[in-house]
Amino acid sequence: FCQWAETNNATIARVTAGDVAGEVTAYLARNNLPARAAMAPSPLLEGYDWDSQKMLSLRRGRGEGSDQVSITGAFAAIAETGTLVMASGPDHPVTLNLLPDTHIVVLREADIVGGYEDVWVRLRERYGKNLMPRTVNTITGPSRTGDIEQAMELGAHGPRRMHIVVVRE
């Protein structure tokens, strides 16, 4: 997964659960980004020690047009393509995937699966028969296009930067 994600212009950090908040703050500092972000109101994200980062300001909820950075979890990740899978819901507003210029994703190693077929099995197990979340986004790196003179442009229809924090177990 990590190799493919990097091939697709994402950056990766592999950390323990205790280092997630510190890695997010360090990434923002390394990239001269503001130490504030819109974060998904996910119970999984609440398990990290955000309070240890005194300079980091977090607002929980949906993404707004003025947000420069978002932090979300991921439902799953696909090893064969480096793709993240996001399931929408109250704990993961879709706007956080699309609006901010920088998208930081906290991904548990246990949520990395081999192929797309494995994701659909997991979705059915989580949501039940004939039920799905309103939206399932598959995201392979930052937004990009090659429409203009066939030159690759990042951030065309969404975030121009994607940083994935892989949490080792």
Side-chain angles (χ1 to χ4, degrees):
F1 170 79
C2 293
Q3 287 176 312
W4 277 113
E6 287 175 330
T7 297
N8 290 307
N9 295 5
T11 56
I12 302 285
R14 295 181 61 141
V15 302
T16 62
D19 295 328
V20 169
E23 168 55 30
V24 168
T25 302
Y27 172 80
L28 295 173
R30 284 192 308 269
N31 290 279
N32 199 29
L33 293 166
R36 65 181 174 277
M39 188 167 83
S42 166
L44 291 175
L45 291 176
E46 292 302 327
Y48 302 112
D49 188 15
W50 302 107
D51 291 337
S52 69
Q53 303 302 305
K54 300 303 180 201
M55 300 302 291
L56 182 61
S57 173
L58 298 175
R59 178 184 57 76
R60 283 136 178 103
R62 65 189 182 109
E64 304 288 342
S66 60
D67 292 328
Q68 293 181 39
V69 178
S70 66
I71 302 169
T72 70
F75 176 77
I78 301 168
E80 69 184 1
T81 59
T83 300
L84 294 164
V85 179
M86 311 297 199
S88 67
D91 61 342
H92 192 130
V94 172
T95 51
L96 293 173
N97 301 339
L98 305 172
L99 288 178
D101 217 28
T102 300
H103 187 185
I104 299 172
V105 180
V106 180
L107 171 67
R108 297 178 318 153
E109 247 180 4
D111 291 327
I112 299 173
V113 300
Y116 280 85
E117 297 83 3
D118 301 318
V119 168
W120 300 114
V121 169
R122 287 178 71 138
L123 282 164
R124 288 181 192 105
E125 287 172 355
R126 158 96 54 88
Y127 291 95
K129 186 176 174 140
N130 299 323
L131 297 173
M132 285 286 167
R134 178 179 226 169
T135 305
V136 176
N137 294 113
T138 57
I139 302 171
T140 307
S143 171
R144 65 184 143 269
T145 187
D147 291 350
I148 301 168
E149 297 183 13
Q150 308 222 348
M152 190 59 65
E153 179 71 27
L154 294 179
H157 307 290
R160 73 181 63 248
R161 282 178 295 281
M162 175 174 278
H163 185 59
I164 304 169
V165 180
V166 179
V167 183
R168 292 189 306 253
E169 315 219 334

